[in-house]
Amino acid sequence: MDPYLIGIDVGTTGTKTVVFRADGTALGSGYREYSLQTDGSAVTQSAEDWWQAVVQSVREAMQGLDPQKAAGISISAQGASMTAVDKECRPLCPVMTWMDTRAQQEAKELAAALGEETIYRACGWPVNPSLDAAKLLWLRKQEPELFARAYQFVSTPEFINWRLTGKSVIDPTCGAIRQLFNIGRGEWDGDILREVGVQTERLPEIRPTGAAVGGLTAQAAEELGLPEGTPVFNGAHDQYCASLGSGAVRPGDLLLATGTTWVVFGIADHLMFSDTHLSPGIHPAGGFGAMASLVTAGSALKWYRDLIGSDYASIDREAEKRVKSAENLFFLPYLAGAGFPHNRPGRRAEIYGLSLSHDRYDLALALMEGVAFEADLVLEEFRRQGLAADRLIMTGGAARSELWSRLVEWITGCTVYRMSQPETCCAGAAMIAGVGAGVFYSYAEAGSAKAKMTPLLAQDNAMRSFYRKKSERYRSLAAKERLP
């Protein structure tokens, strides 16, 4: 039998499912969106929407395929989006997503009580109101009846695992970004739990990435159109799945995942703590991962595209012609604050050098350059931590842009590789299922079967020299203390 591996990526705005053969061939895919509700600093969504999107996307992906060939399922998940549930894992409130920042005061209290550095060294994530430790404190103070009534507090992977198998299970990568899991000890962190007022029994069970969670329940099997008992294996945070799906599993490998937010993800042989607060974690393939995010990257260009009423193809085509006319134009893309390595959420976007001679595509190019300059600053931190950072695997929307891909290569000096399979999160989840089901011996073997990439080969000494000089000017502007 030619086994099928099902990778499900439960993201922020939608769920994507891809069905793969063992050789990496994608046989079918499905996608369903869901909404976000925003009210000031509250950004919520429905956990039931997650499940319905899983059901619909799996059914769509499996159309025309033999369900009896499904050898395993695994989940790639957004991190730190939390809800309270009852004993049947029914949501008691909307999901507080990872973009929800209501718990700003509680984050300050948590840092004051335990120490920012202590918390960072425990879980690998600096104190942040959008992570679950602070949000649990907020719930305890602002919604005491709900807090007391909740059977468990769960995030995306354990909610979906429960709906699939009847078992609430999470892995270390998703546990850590909840800011509740101690990556050094491999267990829920007692000091943090005591501070937020939650006992371990009110959290899901921790199992290693790739461990068996259970088989599909009769109800889940009927909804999904798959055989009862189909094995489900414990997945991982979406960036760890993306690293698996792109073949970035060996120390020194670097991934640039370009979506709404751009994430630089590196593989190391040690937990990579830093003064700038890289976020280290336990990698499913062995060794360790570390990541840093550009807060506004893909979202910045989307905002600008909508603002000028253009499209990505036109922006690519026209902005490419503006390299010289935009030579002295700079766009610092801090539309939602300056993230890593600046860590200045109050800073806002700035434009320098704008004149009457510039048009909308000059500005588009400057914005794309600005995001690439910011990515280079992140890579510099990885270099300081000992990674060579001379080879970069680029995935996501920007990797489909010839211009943006070339800008990244020219500005960072890296050789950029792009994936032939764009759905790296789904591919990584399918690899987890494949290793768990015994289809693959290891993640390295799975990666050699699935992760196909080609070098961009946009290396151009003249353009690299041009952008090396422009980068120096950009850095001087980014370092100015103009705004809080």
Side-chain angles (χ1 to χ4, degrees):
M1 183 181 78
D2 182 17
Y4 298 162
L5 302 170
I6 301 174
I8 305 172
D9 178 34
V10 186
T12 305
T13 56
T15 289
K16 182 75 175 267
T17 296
V18 182
V19 181
F20 295 92
R21 281 200 184 101
D23 65 2
T25 302
L27 299 173
S29 66
Y31 179 73
R32 287 294 183 277
E33 289 188 352
Y34 28 78
S35 61
L36 288 162
Q37 288 76 46
T38 302
D39 181 8
S41 58
V43 185
T44 63
Q45 60 189 181
S46 165
E48 287 296 337
D49 285 351
W50 291 344
W51 175 245
Q52 291 305 317
V54 167
V55 169
Q56 293 165 21
S57 65
V58 168
R59 282 191 166 274
E60 183 179 349
M62 286 295 297
Q63 282 184 359
L65 301 177
D66 182 357
Q68 298 298 325
K69 291 185 176 182
I73 301 169
S74 191
I75 304 296
S76 161
Q78 59 171 304
S81 290
M82 180 193 73
T83 189
V85 298
D86 65 13
K87 285 188 177 182
E88 300 301 319
C89 209
R90 291 178 296 224
L92 300 176
C93 63
V95 173
M96 298 175 73
T97 72
W98 61 269
M99 294 176 287
D100 192 304
T101 58
R102 279 176 281 179
Q104 294 185 36
Q105 179 59 37
E106 288 73 19
K108 293 176 183 176
E109 293 172 8
L110 190 63
L114 297 177
E116 290 191 52
E117 193 65 18
T118 298
I119 295 170
Y120 169 60
R121 294 275 169 172
C123 66
W125 292 87
V127 177
N128 191 304
S130 66
L131 304 185
D132 289 357
K135 290 187 293 193
L136 282 166
L137 266 180
W138 186 92
L139 275 178
R140 194 178 80 179
K141 289 168 57 178
Q142 304 297 328
E143 301 281 352
E145 293 182 8
L146 171 66
F147 186 87
R149 185 160 46 100
Y151 177 71
Q152 277 194 347
F153 301 97
V154 301
S155 62
T156 313
E158 56 268 41
F159 181 81
I160 300 301
N161 279 337
W162 193 93
R163 295 298 292 264
L164 293 170
T165 68
K167 297 177 182 177
S168 178
V169 176
I170 194 172
D171 88 302
T173 65
C174 290
I177 197 173
R178 297 192 68 185
Q179 202 149 66
L180 302 171
F181 178 80
N182 190 298
I183 56 179
R185 296 200 297 265
E187 59 187 23
W188 295 120
D189 188 281
D191 292 335
I192 296 175
L193 295 194
R194 277 190 292 275
E195 192 61 35
V196 301
V198 173
Q199 300 77 33
T200 55
E201 56 266 27
R202 301 183 78 189
L203 294 173
E205 179 186 354
I206 303 162
R207 295 185 192 174
T209 305
V213 176
L216 288 181
T217 64
Q219 181 177 341
E222 181 179 357
E223 290 188 66
L224 295 169
L226 295 170
E228 182 179 354
T230 300
V232 176
F233 299 94
N234 206 18
H237 181 262
D238 52 15
Q239 295 304 328
Y240 282 84
C241 284
S243 78
L244 291 173
S246 64
V249 296
R250 299 172 183 82
D253 286 348
L254 274 166
L255 171 70
L256 175 60
T258 65
T260 302
T261 295
W262 284 20
V263 178
V264 179
F265 188 100
I267 311 298
D269 56 7
H270 63 284
L271 284 170
M272 196 181 291
F273 295 102
S274 73
D275 293 340
T276 52
H277 289 162
L278 285 170
S279 294
I282 301 165
H283 199 281
F288 305 92
M291 71 177 84
S293 300
L294 306 182
V295 178
T296 39
S299 59
L301 189 63
K302 181 180 183 297
W303 163 82
Y304 189 70
R305 178 204 66 182
D306 296 343
L307 186 69
I308 66 173
S310 187
D311 58 81
Y312 290 129
S314 297
I315 288 173
D316 245 32
R317 183 178 61 254
E318 295 300 322
E320 184 177 15
K321 304 172 185 176
R322 305 306 201 271
V323 172
K324 289 300 182 184
S325 62
E327 181 175 2
N328 297 306
L329 184 61
F330 296 85
F331 196 137
L332 279 61
Y334 308 140
L335 292 157
F340 188 95
H342 315 286
N343 296 319
R344 295 173 63 195
R347 189 170 185 179
R348 288 296 175 257
E350 300 165 43
I351 298 171
Y352 293 87
L354 185 64
S355 73
L356 290 171
S357 65
H358 293 122
D359 67 10
R360 57 183 178 169
Y361 294 112
D362 287 297
L363 273 170
L365 176 63
L367 191 157
M368 295 167 81
E369 290 172 345
V371 174
F373 287 135
E374 291 292 321
D376 190 41
L377 290 173
V378 177
L379 287 171
E380 189 172 274
E381 179 59 28
F382 278 91
R383 292 185 181 106
R384 278 197 289 267
Q385 296 298 321
L387 271 69
D390 55 4
R391 178 177 179 270
L392 190 61
I393 302 168
M394 191 170 171
T395 69
R400 293 191 283 273
S401 163
E402 288 295 322
L403 175 58
W404 224 348
S405 299
R406 289 199 301 270
L407 288 171
V408 168
E409 186 161 280
W410 292 332
I411 288 169
T412 66
C414 295
T415 300
V416 169
Y417 290 78
R418 296 185 294 181
M419 302 300 301
S420 57
Q421 168 50 256
E423 303 300 339
T424 52
C425 291
C426 290
M431 288 180 185
I432 291 171
V435 172
V439 174
F440 305 115
Y441 176 73
S442 67
Y443 291 110
E445 180 192 356
S448 65
K450 285 183 177 295
K452 306 293 192 299
M453 65 185 79
T454 55
L456 180 62
L457 297 178
Q459 299 169 39
D460 182 316
N461 289 336
M463 293 306 296
R464 284 192 172 184
S465 177
F466 174 86
Y467 276 110
R468 191 157 44 244
K469 293 174 183 176
K470 190 163 185 177
S471 178
E472 291 172 3
R473 297 166 66 194
Y474 180 92
R475 287 176 180 229
S476 69
L477 294 171
K480 287 184 177 181
E481 298 292 324
R482 293 179 61 89
L483 293 173

